[in-house]
């Protein structure tokens, strides 16, 4: 069904005259008459009775009018759901329990007037950048090595520096430590089943472990995070690494301990990725908000992977 014809029909029904409907739509009266004739032919009914005083709806026209209005409302909602600047700002947070999701929730609380569409693409940095370039999403968060080739229209900016913590159960030898150094992780079983074997996350943890001489165990079946927490809570030797901003819930009886890793503090550097020509007005607000949340910590020794050291 031709929506322009439906729109013309509604305008004529409201105006009672084809001429006035044509003026509202900025078309000629002949074009308005042609559109309505096409719609009548499509529906195989007469929608108007032409009189000297104008155009009056037939019984079929009266029956069709509320449905025509609904068609136009649905079309408007469909258009707004995908058109940048009209639809919600669509942001890939990578995973819903990590720091990016928490930051977007804080952004929503700060700017409740901005409509958000939070998604998780389950994609590496290359696929995420392709989604940004294609306009499937407005923005995403990934670690992006400075030398990585990317499309000209796609921009990146360091947005989040997330410190790491060691997560252990109450019987672990480090359970009562106020903090630990990366060197102290050597000799302990750092268990991260399901850790990617390639991509920016894999590269980060591989360099982190090699630099400080510890091993990350990635073996074992991958169940939900709750299963991993259950195993760690009941173990005297298992530990895992979590981001400071990651949000996990567990029963009080687990008595899990989140221990900061310091001297140096390992930082996972995440960038916001977006198209420079994206017209969505909320994207500017999001970038400004992320800039305002970045905290400089002069004097704090940090560790970042070699491919990111030039931008610290």
């Amino acid at each position: 069904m031709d929506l322009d014809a439906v729109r013309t029909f509604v305008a004529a029904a409201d105006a009672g005259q084809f001429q006035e409907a044509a003026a509202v739509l900025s078309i000629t009266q002949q074009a308005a008459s042609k559109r309505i004739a096409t719609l009548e032919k499509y529906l195989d009914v007469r929608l108007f009775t032409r009189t000297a005083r104008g155009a009056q709806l037939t019984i079929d026209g009266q029956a069709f009018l509320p449905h025509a209005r609904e068609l136009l409302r649905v079309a408007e909602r469909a258009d707004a759901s995908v058109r940048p600047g009209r639809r919600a700002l669509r942001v890939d947070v990578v995973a819903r329990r990590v720091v990016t999701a928490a930051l977007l929730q804080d952004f929503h609380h700060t700017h409740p007037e901005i409509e958000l569409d939070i998604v998780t693409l389950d994609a590496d940095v290359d696929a995420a950048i392709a989604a940004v370039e294609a306009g499937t999403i407005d923005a995403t968060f990934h670690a992006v090595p400075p030398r990585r080739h990317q499309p000209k229209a796609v921009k990146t900016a360091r947005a989040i520096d997330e410190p790491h913590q060691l997560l252990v159960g109450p019987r672990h030898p480090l359970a009562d430590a106020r903090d630990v150094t990366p060197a102290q992780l050597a000799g302990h079983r750092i268990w991260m089943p399901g850790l990617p074997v390639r991509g920016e996350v894999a590269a980060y943890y591989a360099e982190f472990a090699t630099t400080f001489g510890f091993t990350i165990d990635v073996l074992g079946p991958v169940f939900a995070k709750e299963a991993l927490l259950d195993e760690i809570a009941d173990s005297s030797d298992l530990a895992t690494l979590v981001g400071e901003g990651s949000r996990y819930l567990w029963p009080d009886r687990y008595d899990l301990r989140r221990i900061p890793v310091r001297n140096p503090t390992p930082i996972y550097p995440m960038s916001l990725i977006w198209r420079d020509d994206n017209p969505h007005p909320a994207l500017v607000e999001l970038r400004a908000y992320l800039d305002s949340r970045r905290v400089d910590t002069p004097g704090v020794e940090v560790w970042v992977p070699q491919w990111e050291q030039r931008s610290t």
Side-chain angles (χ1 to χ4, degrees), residues 224-265:
K225 281 292 184 183
E226 287 74 13
L228 174 65
L229 301 180
D230 183 68
E231 293 280 349
I232 290 174
D234 196 41
S235 173
S236 61
D237 68 330
L238 289 179
T240 195
L241 291 166
V242 296
E244 182 181 77
S246 297
R247 300 181 294 184
Y248 299 108
L249 298 176
W250 55 77
D252 289 342
R253 68 178 185 276
Y254 281 10
D255 195 20
L256 294 175
R257 319 288 174 85
R258 298 181 68 141
I259 305 170
V261 183
R262 295 176 177 150
N263 299 318
T265 298

Side-chain angles (χ1 to χ4, degrees), residues 164-166 182 185-197 200-220 225 228 232 237-242 261 266 268 303:
H164 272 74
Q165 297 176 333
L166 187 70
L185 301 180
H188 293 283
R189 187 183 175 194
I190 310 301
W191 192 39
M192 303 181 73
L195 187 70
V197 297
E200 74 269 23
V201 174
Y204 170 85
Y205 281 107
E207 187 177 335
F208 181 25
T210 299
T211 300
F212 295 101
F214 65 92
T215 301
I216 296 178
D217 182 359
V218 300
L219 300 179
K225 281 292 184 183
L228 174 65
I232 290 174
D237 68 330
L238 289 179
T240 195
L241 291 166
V242 296
V261 183
Y268 189 82
W303 177 88

Side-chain angles (χ1 to χ4, degrees), residues 93-103 162 245-248 270:
V93 295
V94 184
R96 297 188 186 276
R97 289 180 173 175
V98 301
V99 63
T100 51
L103 273 174
E162 185 176 31
S246 297
R247 300 181 294 184
Y248 299 108
M270 279 182 280

